Amino acid sequence: MAAKDYIRERFFPHLWCPGCGHGTVLNALLRAVESLGIGKNEIVMVSGIGCSSRISGYLDFHTLHTLHGRALAFATGVKLSRPELNLIVPMGDGDALAIGGNHFIHAARRNIDITALVLNNRIYGMTGGQYSPLSGAGVLATTAPYRNIDRSFDVIKIAEAAGATFVARSTTYHARELAKIIKQAIEHKGFSLVEVMSQCPTYFGRKNQQGGALEMLQLFKEQTASIGSKAMQEHPEIIGRGVFVNKKAPEYCQEYEAIVARATSA
Amino acid sequence: MAGVNKTVAGVNKFVQGNEACVEGALYAGLTFFAGYPITPSSEIAELLSVRLPKNRCCFIQMEDEIASICAIIGASLAGNKVMTATSGPGFSLMQEGLGYGIMAEVPCVIVNVMRGGPSTGLPTGPSQGDVNQARWGTHGDHAIVALTASNHQDIFHITVEAFNIAETYRTPVVLLFDEVLGHMRERIVVPKPGELPLVDRLKTEVKQGVDYHPYLPREDGRLPMSDFGGVHRYNVTGLFHDMWGFPTNSPQVVHGLLRHLTDKIENNINAITHYKEHCLDDAEVVMISYGSSARSALHVVANRRSRGERIGLLELQTLWPFPAELVREKCAQAKRVVVVEMNMGQILGAVKQAVAKPDRVTLANRIDGQFITPTDIRNILRLIQGRGV
């Protein structure tokens, strides 16, 4: 099946701004799904609210477009009901880590077999460029006209500390690497988190004089390196890319089967 | 998990109201529960954590009430009959998800065992202060179904009915109980399977490869569903949407959907309305009550009737949509209408709007976290009648 067979073509062109990175994430995601050969009826995509959440509408899976921050809670209900289905949850940085922060850490803690993608453009795009918990101090935003004083989260560290058993990061510049990482994340049995650094030239780039999409992509190239690489050792300020955590631990739905076994044998 | 629920029929049990609700839910075919601990509803979660896994069904304790209602909506779309249970503060958190369930037309049952409020209020004290929150707690125009009962056998039956209404109209249904009902113990008999009618999930008969419209009502108004993971892939959203479930701003579609969401409840008010009446035929004083308050009102009726007073009780089990015509009809001959409730007059307002002579309607209430007793009601009646306490 070609990647275009996974999309709902009648909804294109999409609503994202010219130069937005989210289309690249959609592309990488479809390549991952295609290479895994998963049937369209076997995927449930659950999204929240924001630019990133609109991915679900464009894809020909079972799609559940939910409430701001709550995607993982809805996804937990679907997954526990039908553990054989593949749950993919694209979220924005504000969606997943601000309003949805509690659901994020608890889904990771349960190690429920859901693939969470955080499309991190460091800004609330849909509402017009306000700062998010991943903007970081010093950033300009429509609600930070004198520069942001809020420190930012490290999604990778939060996910690992909360109990996610697959944790990775890539960028929209590294689209092929991203597709491979998403593929690994979907294959992983347990809660997997992929942070994708995605450019928002309309708000983040413009407000912070980073130029257009091309210049922002260039920054992703310059400011990141594969973890364990020589560049990372020489320049510790560089942002690491790759798989940070990949381990086995009891998965929630399987553990629930164990509860059922104990309850029914009692 | 695709379990099937088994209930023990014909069993004579001495249970809390919360357990009567659990038995009713299991009888109705509950297969998925998500919740968060909160007094005075926690027994519902505790009991279901025992019962559901035995039936190979799902129980999950979520991180908060927001997540609980979201999880049951997800589980309902995957084919389960679902429920969550909470009390006032948790019900406040659930308002967002409740609105989603209304908009996306997802069958689910939300139990609110009411306590005193606002805020943390009186966790172990009875109140009926969430009646209007059940009606208008979530934002935007919408219809809602809210049911209650005054004794444990009725709690069992109305819980079954809540599931039936949720499935019939593809809508969330709120069960409003209170601390007295939840914790008091009373006898119930679990009916035999088949004794009470059950409405199962209406599944679409549209074949694979044929265009399926999840949001196109049939001629009878019902919308057949297709479970996530099935052969039909469609979209579910809290945005205004077309018959495929895809977002739209079309004024025509928006208008049509909002009308549909409201009309499917309001136009079926007769089928949704449940009530009981006691000695209303010649009543000069009509009391209107519901939930545990109705127990005291009923006691007053029995007591005063034995002394020859023409007094009766209309006990509402359906609070929303408000059965205004029924109330108007039952109060037509009344010289005095007394609304008995444990709040500052939340159903009183609806009654005043419904009856021909609102100036004859009085409130008999209690708002101090104590159960309203027959003596409380009798004293208020004496005052109304000019006889002093």
Side-chain angles (χ1 to χ4, degrees), chain B residues 1 47 62 119 148 152 183 192 264 303 333 340 350 389:
Chain B
M1 305 245 72
L47 291 163
M62 296 299 287
S119 190
T148 186
H152 293 12
H183 285 162
K192 292 186 180 65
K264 73 175 181 180
N303 186 275
Q333 307 303 322
V340 182
V389 288

Side-chain angles (χ1 to χ4, degrees), chain B residues 54-380:
Chain B
K54 282 185 191 292
N55 297 340
R56 316 193 73 79
C57 296
C58 293
F59 170 90
I60 185 170
Q61 184 171 309
M62 296 299 287
E63 55 271 21
D64 58 25
E65 290 88 347
I66 299 170
S68 300
I69 192 166
C70 295
I72 64 165
I73 290 171
S76 183
L77 290 166
N80 286 292
K81 280 193 175 181
V82 302
M83 182 169 91
T84 185
T86 189
S87 187
F91 193 53
S92 291
L93 291 181
M94 287 184 184
Q95 295 305 321
E96 182 190 37
L98 181 59
Y100 187 91
I102 291 166
M103 182 61 121
E105 301 191 67
V106 183
C108 55
V109 174
I110 298 117
V111 184
N112 176 359
V113 186
M114 292 182 282
R115 49 146 136 186
S119 190
T120 315
L122 287 166
T124 57
S127 161
Q128 294 171 322
D130 303 347
V131 171
N132 276 341
Q133 186 188 23
R135 179 65 193 90
W136 289 116
T138 195
H139 58 274
D141 277 315
H142 61 276
I144 192 78
V145 179
L147 311 174
T148 186
S150 66
N151 64 62
H152 293 12
Q153 194 66 47
D154 286 356
I155 286 178
F156 181 97
H157 282 83
I158 209 73
T159 302
V160 173
E161 182 60 9
F163 280 88
N164 286 348
I165 290 172
E167 293 296 335
T168 303
Y169 302 103
R170 271 188 73 166
T171 187
V173 174
V174 178
L175 282 170
L176 286 175
F177 302 134
D178 59 66
E179 193 275 338
V180 167
L181 290 171
H183 285 162
M184 180 180 64
R185 287 186 182 270
E186 205 166 58
R187 190 181 76 105
I188 63 162
V189 178
V190 177
K192 292 186 180 65
E195 207 173 305
L196 300 184
L198 299 182
V199 178
D200 285 325
R201 180 69 49 93
L202 180 66
K203 303 268 175 84
T204 180
E205 289 170 359
V206 173
K207 301 251 180 333
Q208 182 168 13
V210 179
D211 202 5
Y212 162 63
H213 305 103
Y215 292 102
L216 183 66
R218 298 194 310 197
E219 275 185 22
D220 64 358
R222 294 188 69 185
L223 293 91
M225 296 180 74
S226 176
D227 297 344
F228 276 3
V231 297
H232 298 293
R233 297 179 303 278
Y234 58 98
N235 192 52
V236 177
T237 178
L239 291 164
F240 275 93
H241 49 268
D242 60 21
M243 62 184 173
W244 292 277
F246 292 107
T248 178
N249 294 329
S250 154
Q252 194 184 349
V253 177
V254 169
H255 181 268
L257 178 54
L258 191 51
R259 275 254 67 99
H260 160 72
L261 294 176
T262 312
D263 291 351
K264 73 175 181 180
I265 305 297
E266 303 287 347
N267 290 352
N268 289 295
I269 189 163
N270 290 338
I272 294 169
T273 296
H274 295 270
Y275 68 96
K276 289 174 138 180
E277 59 174 279
H278 308 276
C279 309
L280 281 185
D281 284 347
D282 62 345
E284 290 176 351
V285 175
V286 171
M287 289 192 286
I288 297 177
S289 191
Y290 54 92
S292 63
S293 303
R295 300 173 73 94
S296 293
L298 185 58
H299 189 91
V300 169
V301 171
N303 186 275
R304 313 275 288 197
R305 275 278 166 183
S306 70
R307 297 176 191 186
E309 282 191 37
R310 289 181 175 186
I311 185 165
L313 170 66
L314 173 61
E315 180 195 336
L316 300 178
Q317 293 184 317
T318 300
L319 298 181
W320 309 117
F322 189 74
E325 274 187 40
L326 172 79
V327 168
R328 181 157 51 244
E329 184 190 312
K330 298 294 179 189
C331 296
Q333 307 303 322
K335 289 182 178 163
R336 182 62 69 179
V337 176
V338 181
V339 179
V340 182
E341 53 185 340
M342 288 186 287
N343 57 46
M344 297 178 83
Q346 298 196 13
I347 283 295
L348 175 83
V351 170
K352 283 195 170 197
Q353 280 191 338
V355 298
K357 293 174 178 163
D359 56 330
R360 292 187 179 178
V361 183
T362 314
L363 176 65
N365 70 340
R366 191 151 181 177
I367 55 165
D368 58 354
Q370 299 296 304
F371 181 57
I372 187 163
T373 64
T375 307
D376 295 329
I377 299 170
R378 191 197 60 198
N379 287 343
I380 293 169

Side-chain angles (χ1 to χ4, degrees), chain A residues 8 10-11 40-42 44 46 49 54 56-57 60-68 70 72-85 99 102-104 106-107 109-110 112 252 256-257 259-261 263-264 266, chain B residues 1-2 32 49-50 52-64 66-80 96-97 100 208 227-239 242 244 246-247:
Chain A
R8 291 164 171 158
R10 64 192 168 110
F11 296 115
K40 292 195 281 187
N41 287 339
E42 294 157 32
V44 181
V46 187
I49 294 293
R54 292 307 185 96
S56 61
D60 190 19
F61 306 137
H62 302 283
T63 55
L64 180 55
H65 178 233
T66 69
L67 297 162
H68 196 28
R70 319 292 176 218
L72 285 169
F74 282 88
T76 299
V78 177
K79 181 67 182 181
L80 190 57
S81 303
R82 301 286 301 272
E84 72 279 14
L85 298 175
I99 191 164
N102 201 29
H103 310 306
F104 182 86
H106 288 279
R109 176 179 61 81
R110 291 188 190 101
I112 189 165
Y252 194 82
Y256 193 80
E257 287 288 350
I259 286 186
V260 167
T264 49
Chain B
M1 305 245 72
F32 190 108
S49 76
V50 176
L52 285 171
K54 282 185 191 292
N55 297 340
R56 316 193 73 79
C57 296
C58 293
F59 170 90
I60 185 170
Q61 184 171 309
M62 296 299 287
E63 55 271 21
D64 58 25
I66 299 170
S68 300
I69 192 166
C70 295
I72 64 165
I73 290 171
S76 183
L77 290 166
N80 286 292
E96 182 190 37
Y100 187 91
Q208 182 168 13
D227 297 344
F228 276 3
V231 297
H232 298 293
R233 297 179 303 278
Y234 58 98
N235 192 52
V236 177
T237 178
L239 291 164
D242 60 21
W244 292 277
F246 292 107

Side-chain angles (χ1 to χ4, degrees), chain A:
Chain A
M1 211 181 315
K4 79 170 180 57
D5 295 327
Y6 290 99
I7 62 173
R8 291 164 171 158
E9 212 167 340
R10 64 192 168 110
F11 296 115
F12 285 79
H14 56 65
L15 57 57
W16 296 310
C17 302
C20 173
H22 291 359
T24 309
V25 184
L26 187 152
N27 188 310
L29 172 68
L30 286 188
R31 289 180 193 283
V33 170
E34 187 189 16
S35 66
L36 287 167
I38 306 172
K40 292 195 281 187
N41 287 339
E42 294 157 32
I43 297 177
V44 181
M45 176 163 279
V46 187
S47 63
I49 294 293
C51 298
S52 61
S53 72
R54 292 307 185 96
I55 278 190
S56 61
Y58 300 124
L59 295 176
D60 190 19
F61 306 137
H62 302 283
T63 55
L64 180 55
H65 178 233
T66 69
L67 297 162
H68 196 28
R70 319 292 176 218
L72 285 169
F74 282 88
T76 299
V78 177
K79 181 67 182 181
L80 190 57
S81 303
R82 301 286 301 272
E84 72 279 14
L85 298 175
N86 297 280
L87 271 287
I88 303 175
V89 181
M91 296 172 286
D93 42 311
D95 195 30
L97 274 304
I99 191 164
N102 201 29
H103 310 306
F104 182 86
I105 59 174
H106 288 279
R109 176 179 61 81
R110 291 188 190 101
N111 194 35
I112 189 165
D113 186 19
I114 291 172
T115 305
L117 310 174
V118 174
L119 280 62
N120 177 13
N121 56 15
R122 303 175 65 190
I123 205 90
Y124 286 89
M126 189 71 86
T127 46
Q130 299 81 14
Y131 66 88
S132 91
L134 296 179
S135 294
V139 157
L140 288 164
T142 52
T143 46
Y146 308 111
R147 295 199 182 276
N148 190 23
I149 57 168
D150 282 35
R151 299 197 300 166
S152 77
F153 274 144
D154 182 331
V155 190
I156 302 296
K157 285 180 180 166
I158 289 177
E160 183 180 1
T165 47
F166 182 94
V167 180
R169 180 192 282 133
S170 189
T171 87
T172 46
Y173 177 84
H174 305 87
R176 286 184 186 164
E177 171 194 274
L178 176 60
K180 278 185 203 157
I181 283 179
I182 294 175
K183 182 185 173 193
Q184 273 183 279
I186 295 172
E187 282 179 310
H188 178 78
K189 190 81 182 164
F191 187 82
S192 51
L193 174 275
V194 180
E195 179 193 357
V196 188
M197 295 168 64
S198 178
Q199 74 277 13
C200 173
T202 301
Y203 291 110
F204 193 90
R206 186 162 53 87
K207 277 271 168 195
N208 292 283
Q209 289 84 45
Q210 287 193 348
L214 280 178
E215 290 77 12
M216 293 184 81
L217 284 165
Q218 189 68 28
L219 282 175
F220 289 163
K221 183 188 175 193
E222 291 164 6
Q223 292 174 350
T224 68
S226 295
I227 48 175
S229 65
K230 203 178 165 193
M232 283 285 307
Q233 285 159 10
E234 289 171 0
H235 303 280
E237 75 283 4
I238 276 183
I239 300 166
R241 296 192 327 272
V243 178
F244 292 78
V245 177
N246 188 1
K247 62 185 179 192
K248 281 189 178 155
E251 191 276 331
Y252 194 82
C253 298
Q254 286 181 343
E255 291 297 292
Y256 193 80
E257 287 288 350
I259 286 186
V260 167
R262 289 197 289 276
T264 49
S265 68

